[in-house]
Amino acid sequence: MEIQDTTNVEPNNIENDEQVHKSTEKPQRITACLVNAAFFGALGSSYLYGYSLSVVNAPSLFIKTFYNKTWQERYGEPIRADMVTTLWSITVSIFAIGGLLGALCVTLLMKVLGRKGTLLLNNSFAMISALLLALGEKAGSFEMLIIGRFIMGVDSGISLSALPMYLGEIAPRQVRGFIGQFNSILICLGVFTGQVLGLPELLGQEARWNFLFAFQALPALLQLCVLPFLPESPRFLLMERRDEAGAEKAFRDFLGKEDVSKELEEVHAESRAQNTMRMASITELLLNPAVRWQVVTVVVTMACYQLCGLNAIWYYTNGILRDSGFAENVIPYVVLSTGAVETLAAIVSGLVIERVGRRPLLLFGFTAMAFFFGLLTVFLNFQHQYLWMPYLSFICILGVIASFCSGPGGIPFVLTGELFEQSYRPAAFMIAGVVNWLSNFAVGLVFPFMQVDEGSVECSQDPVLCGSKFSRLMVAGKGTVQVMTKISCCLNSFLPPSCGLQQPAICPKGT
């Protein structure tokens, strides 16, 4: 069977259909079962991903000291500075390599175990990682830390694919955007938790930093205790397991009503349509001109998600602020403001996404990031002339974080499913996952070497400005992030104002 071409579908017709749906459908009541599934599903998944991003920041100096001590005990000489940088970069960036592996194998796991089963199995990776990271110092093995970070990356790679699919399949159309934003909100909350626990008064001490990693096991255990009692995805049960009774019960629990015949019929219709077409391979997706702009949009937005430098800020926040002139005793508390701003922006985005739509939030977020990065460039050039200039730079960093979390921080995880039909989605998710984790790896690996090589305050203050040649481009208004965000804004102009998971792929004719 040939893959169906949907390029003849007009965007205006799609928007009109959405307006009809919104005007005729009754408001959907959000049930406790739906909220519990979204929260606890995200708690052991995206929350741990966010926590893993920030948890390495506070104990970075203690971990480097541990590397030096272990090296000297093994080889009888202090470790070279470049070797410490290499080991630390590997510790941070191998997380992304594990994430890439997890993203590549998640499709098979979900097919065999289902959405909920995959999330439950994934908790075993989180607990194994917590043990390795927590006991690495006692065992005198920095290899355990590196392996633990790799396994935690596998956990995150699986989570960031399985969780959005689970949330998208259990949520009714009217609240799908809101429920989907649990993924982003819990990522931000995980980042903030890592910052709070990293305070010197809590676990940010040389004698306690290993407990920061042991904490990873707690959310996994909580998910293991609650998620088994919540329903599996009804779409998975009906379309792949052919369990109509189980799907009907799951719909009733999630929707909070007895008559779910309409929902069952919608899934049956989707199942019949899916049986008439075959799945596209990655090669077919890349070579098909009908979906070219959708592919480019997903690739660029996912690359921007990582290469904009936000993860570098989470990985190295303390070092960035330390080199910016902030006092050592106030840095941990200044760091908290970044996590608080991120969490607040993600919550606001989740509350307004159904009213505002996906495209406006993406356009606003990327444009605002480019604006704040431009201001940051100006402030950095006057940093040595005014003592108060670093504070303006930090305000710009907060602006970048808030802009990121207003849309670009959460929407790319569900954007792929909204832009492609069922036949294209597996290949599209594979491409998006590879771009996401390779970009994450590049940021975590390259940034420390840029700091060391340049040795400049500008480089340390903002990951986007690493290297003098990039600084000049930024001053000229053509910095890497500005260019990528502008491209992404142009590409996202092809999106309809409000995307729904049931929409077919849309590509303007003549492009």
Side-chain angles (χ1 to χ4, degrees):
M1 300 295 294
E2 295 294 328
I3 300 173
Q4 295 181 356
D5 188 358
T6 58
T7 56
N8 292 327
V9 179
E10 295 293 336
N12 290 335
N13 293 338
I14 296 297
E15 295 171 23
N16 292 336
D17 290 343
E18 278 201 345
Q19 293 174 359
V20 172
H21 278 299
K22 290 181 180 179
S23 62
T24 57
E25 290 183 348
K26 297 180 180 179
Q28 176 62 47
R29 183 169 64 92
I30 300 178
T31 64
C33 181
L34 184 61
V35 172
N36 284 333
F39 176 78
F40 285 101
L43 182 66
S45 305
S46 56
Y47 177 85
L48 281 177
Y49 168 71
Y51 184 80
S52 298
L53 291 179
S54 65
V55 71
V56 296
N57 176 52
S60 59
L61 294 179
F62 306 138
I63 295 175
K64 291 177 183 179
T65 300
F66 164 65
Y67 286 170
N68 186 39
K69 177 183 176 182
T70 303
W71 188 279
Q72 192 160 4
E73 290 176 351
R74 288 185 184 180
Y75 306 108
E77 60 181 13
I79 190 173
R80 301 193 315 271
D82 61 332
M83 182 58 68
V84 172
T85 302
T86 300
L87 288 175
W88 177 239
S89 297
I90 292 174
T91 304
V92 172
S93 58
I94 202 170
F95 174 76
I97 297 299
L100 178 61
L101 178 62
L104 291 174
C105 68
V106 68
T107 302
L108 177 62
L109 290 175
M110 287 193 294
K111 184 177 180 179
V112 175
L113 301 175
R115 286 39 165 168
K116 188 179 78 169
T118 299
L119 293 175
L120 291 173
L121 176 66
N122 201 33
N123 290 311
S124 62
F125 292 110
M127 289 188 286
I128 292 172
S129 171
L131 287 174
L132 291 172
L133 291 167
L135 299 177
E137 183 190 25
K138 298 294 183 182
S141 171
F142 53 76
E143 293 88 353
M144 290 177 64
L145 269 65
I146 295 174
I147 295 173
R149 285 284 293 176
F150 173 79
I151 295 176
M152 195 63 220
V154 174
D155 173 274
S156 297
I158 294 173
S159 297
L160 294 186
S161 295
L163 179 65
M165 188 171 294
Y166 179 64
L167 297 182
E169 291 181 355
I170 68 174
R173 183 190 299 112
Q174 302 95 320
V175 295
R176 188 168 292 153
F178 169 72
I179 294 298
Q181 283 295 88
F182 269 79
N183 180 44
S184 175
I185 293 171
L186 268 293
I187 289 176
C188 299
L189 191 59
V191 170
F192 186 61
T193 303
Q195 294 169 342
V196 172
L197 293 181
L199 291 174
E201 292 83 357
L202 298 177
L203 301 180
Q205 302 180 17
E206 188 168 8
R208 300 178 183 174
W209 64 265
N210 52 340
F211 292 104
L212 280 170
F213 297 109
F215 176 82
Q216 291 177 173
L218 181 59
L221 287 173
L222 287 175
Q223 188 184 80
L224 280 175
C225 292
V226 177
L227 196 60
F229 300 100
L230 297 170
E232 172 62 278
S233 162
R235 290 181 177 273
F236 169 78
L237 291 173
L238 191 56
M239 296 178 68
E240 300 190 33
R241 292 287 172 85
R242 308 299 180 186
D243 183 3
E244 184 160 356
E248 183 177 0
K249 183 179 184 303
F251 269 128
R252 286 175 178 172
D253 291 338
F254 285 131
L255 302 181
K257 60 182 183 179
E258 289 297 321
D259 184 11
V260 293
S261 57
K262 180 180 177 181
E263 286 76 12
L264 289 172
E265 178 56 34
E266 287 180 356
V267 179
H268 276 302
E270 184 178 348
S271 179
R272 289 192 294 268
Q274 182 175 328
N275 290 335
T276 64
M277 64 181 73
R278 63 181 178 85
M279 296 294 108
S281 66
I282 293 179
T283 303
E284 290 172 326
L285 178 62
L286 293 175
L287 296 180
N288 190 344
V291 292
R292 180 176 300 154
W293 279 110
Q294 289 94 315
V295 173
V296 175
T297 299
V298 168
V299 169
V300 173
T301 52
M302 194 60 74
C304 286
Y305 174 81
Q306 296 291 349
L307 296 180
C308 65
L310 263 294
N311 279 353
I313 291 177
W314 303 142
Y315 289 152
Y316 310 109
T317 307
N318 283 19
I320 292 171
L321 296 177
R322 188 178 297 112
D323 293 332
S324 300
F326 285 87
E328 189 71 31
N329 61 329
V330 303
I331 285 178
Y333 308 98
V334 176
V335 168
L336 290 181
S337 63
T338 63
V341 167
E342 183 188 32
T343 304
L344 180 62
I347 293 174
V348 172
S349 176
L351 294 175
V352 304
I353 188 172
E354 295 298 346
R355 293 185 178 182
V356 177
R358 279 66 158 167
R359 187 183 69 170
L361 289 177
L362 281 172
L363 291 173
F364 168 78
F366 281 127
T367 303
M369 287 179 71
F371 171 75
F372 282 113
F373 273 127
L375 284 181
L376 183 59
T377 302
V378 176
F379 294 153
L380 287 173
N381 280 272
F382 293 99
Q383 177 171 292
H384 299 293
Q385 300 180 25
Y386 304 98
L387 294 176
W388 43 266
M389 195 60 71
Y391 296 96
L392 291 181
S393 299
F394 181 69
I395 292 175
C396 287
I397 291 177
L398 293 181
V400 169
I401 292 172
S403 303
F404 175 81
C405 296
S406 65
I411 293 176
F413 289 103
V414 295
L415 185 62
T416 305
E418 295 180 338
L419 284 178
F420 295 92
E421 283 188 332
Q422 183 66 31
S423 59
Y424 292 103
R425 283 175 191 161
F429 271 112
M430 183 75 71
I431 293 173
V434 170
V435 172
N436 176 40
W437 288 105
L438 286 181
S439 300
N440 188 312
F441 175 76
V443 171
L445 181 64
V446 173
F447 179 59
F449 290 99
M450 287 183 172
Q451 282 184 302
V452 172
D453 291 341
E454 294 300 324
S456 63
V457 177
E458 288 85 355
C459 176
S460 299
Q461 195 163 3
D462 182 25
V464 180
L465 301 179
C466 290
S468 58
K469 58 182 180 180
F470 288 109
S471 181
R472 293 182 181 179
L473 288 174
M474 295 289 287
V475 173
K478 298 179 181 179
T480 304
V481 173
Q482 286 92 325
V483 173
M484 293 188 70
T485 52
K486 288 176 182 176
I487 291 174
S488 183
C489 288
C490 292
L491 293 177
N492 281 311
S493 66
F494 292 104
L495 291 174
S498 179
C499 294
L501 286 174
Q502 301 304 317
Q503 291 183 357
I506 299 170
C507 183
K509 297 178 181 179
T511 59

